[in-house]
């Protein structure tokens, strides 16, 4: 009957949508199968990738990154190559990289605690909490730089918060060979710490004069030094900035 044929056509179309690769960069529907993963929902998007919460056959939940708008996923291949060789508690844990029709897909740890930008939306951090953030990020930067890698895109959106309170430095799409001591990363760390300390991002055109009256002078001075526009006026490396902050803590 026509109703039976119509029902069969609708079912066939639904199954096609569910099991087709759907790999053109458009947002995937919940229930879509990619490789051995089932998409649950979209959780983020950017210029180069869409990010989904997905479930593996054993029931574990992951972040699944897919190239957006027809891209081949070279940024995801680079991220996999970097993170699969490094182990650090403040880097995302990598599960696997797989290809569909020549396009890379990356599966990694699902971090669900939000971003530093969302945390900053609650107001400036205390000096103590700013130091906690600084210690974790500078330690992971030191590991990256010693491995010859610069992140190049440290910002409030690329630092994720785990539910246990630890931080996770994400998005290595702009990462590359480190310049001397990862100088660009030092400056961007200064911007990030200033933002957390004051609740506002510093000017791109001039170095601010002070952080916040609540902050000890030595701590403010360390952040200001990292923010200098002249590379020679900043800390020589992540370890030196961390040492200056630890001296303040002591």
């Amino acid at each position: 009957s026509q109703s039976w044929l119509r029902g069969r056509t609708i079912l066939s179309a639904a199954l096609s949508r569910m099991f087709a690769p759907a790999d053109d960069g458009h947002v995937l529907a919940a229930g879509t199968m990619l490789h051995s993963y089932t998409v649950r929902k979209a959780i983020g998007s950017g210029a180069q990738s869409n990010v989904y919460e997905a479930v593996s056959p054993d029931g574990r939940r992951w972040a699944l990154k897919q190239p957006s708008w027809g891209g081949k996923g070279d940024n995801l291949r680079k991220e996999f190559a970097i993170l699969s060789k490094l182990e650090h508690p403040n880097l995302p844990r990598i599960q696997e990289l797989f290809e569909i029709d020549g396009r890379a897909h990356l599966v990694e740890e699902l971090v669900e605690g939000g971003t530093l930008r969302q945390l900053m939306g609650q107001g400036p951090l205390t000096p103590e909490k700013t130091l906690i953030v600084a210690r974790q990020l500078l330690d992971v930067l030191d590991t990256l730089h010693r491995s010859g890698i610069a992140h190049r895109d440290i910002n409030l959106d690329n630092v994720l918060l785990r539910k246990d309170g630890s931080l996770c430095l994400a998005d290595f799409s702009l990462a590359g060979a480190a310049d001397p001591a990862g100088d660009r990363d030092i400056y961007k760390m200064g911007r990030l710490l200033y933002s957390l300390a004051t609740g506002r991002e510093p000017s791109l055109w001039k170095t601010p004069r002070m952080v916040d009256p609540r902050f000890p002078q030595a701590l403010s001075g360390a952040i200001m030094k990292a923010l200098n526009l002249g590379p020679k006026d900043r800390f020589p490396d992540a370890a030196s900035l961390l040492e200056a902050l630890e001296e303040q803590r002591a």
Side-chain angles (χ1 to χ4, degrees), residues 125-169:
L125 300 191
T126 63
E128 293 75 19
K129 290 183 178 179
T130 301
L131 279 170
I132 291 172
V133 170
R135 291 189 73 198
Q136 294 186 53
L137 293 182
L138 287 168
D139 190 66
V140 72
L141 278 183
D142 185 54
T143 296
L144 289 170
H145 295 166
R146 288 176 184 274
S147 300
I149 299 164
H151 185 276
R152 296 182 177 174
D153 197 22
I154 298 169
N155 60 58
L156 296 166
D157 296 306
N158 284 340
V159 180
L160 310 180
L161 285 70
R162 295 189 178 99
K163 289 186 175 181
D164 65 2
S166 65
L167 303 179
C168 181
L169 180 61

Side-chain angles (χ1 to χ4, degrees), residues 24-184:
D24 57 1
H26 291 83
V27 176
L28 302 178
T32 300
M33 297 291 296
L34 283 181
H35 196 50
S36 59
Y37 299 88
T38 303
V39 172
R40 276 192 171 178
K41 61 182 178 180
I43 56 177
S45 63
Q48 300 187 66
S49 305
N50 296 322
V51 187
Y52 302 89
E53 178 185 328
V55 183
S56 54
D58 60 6
R60 288 188 293 172
R61 297 158 62 231
W62 302 94
L64 190 158
K65 296 183 177 181
Q66 175 203 42
S68 57
W69 302 109
K72 294 298 183 182
D74 289 341
N75 60 310
L76 301 180
R77 294 186 183 93
K78 176 168 63 175
E79 183 164 344
F80 177 79
I82 291 172
L83 295 179
S84 61
K85 295 177 182 178
L86 296 174
E87 287 189 13
H88 191 281
N90 301 115
L91 290 174
R93 293 182 289 273
I94 292 296
Q95 172 70 355
E96 68 170 315
L97 183 82
F98 63 86
E99 305 259 348
I100 296 178
D101 296 332
R103 304 178 72 227
H105 295 67
L106 180 62
V107 182
E108 63 184 30
E109 172 188 2
L110 178 65
V111 182
E112 300 184 90
T115 67
L116 275 187
R117 185 175 299 281
Q118 292 170 320
L119 180 64
M120 194 182 77
Q122 302 173 17
L125 300 191
T126 63
E128 293 75 19
K129 290 183 178 179
T130 301
L131 279 170
I132 291 172
V133 170
R135 291 189 73 198
Q136 294 186 53
L137 293 182
L138 287 168
D139 190 66
V140 72
L141 278 183
D142 185 54
T143 296
L144 289 170
H145 295 166
R146 288 176 184 274
S147 300
I149 299 164
H151 185 276
R152 296 182 177 174
D153 197 22
I154 298 169
N155 60 58
L156 296 166
D157 296 306
N158 284 340
V159 180
L160 310 180
L161 285 70
R162 295 189 178 99
K163 289 186 175 181
D164 65 2
S166 65
L167 303 179
C168 181
L169 180 61
D171 194 349
F172 282 74
S173 58
L174 298 182
D179 46 23
D183 179 72
R184 191 183 309 178

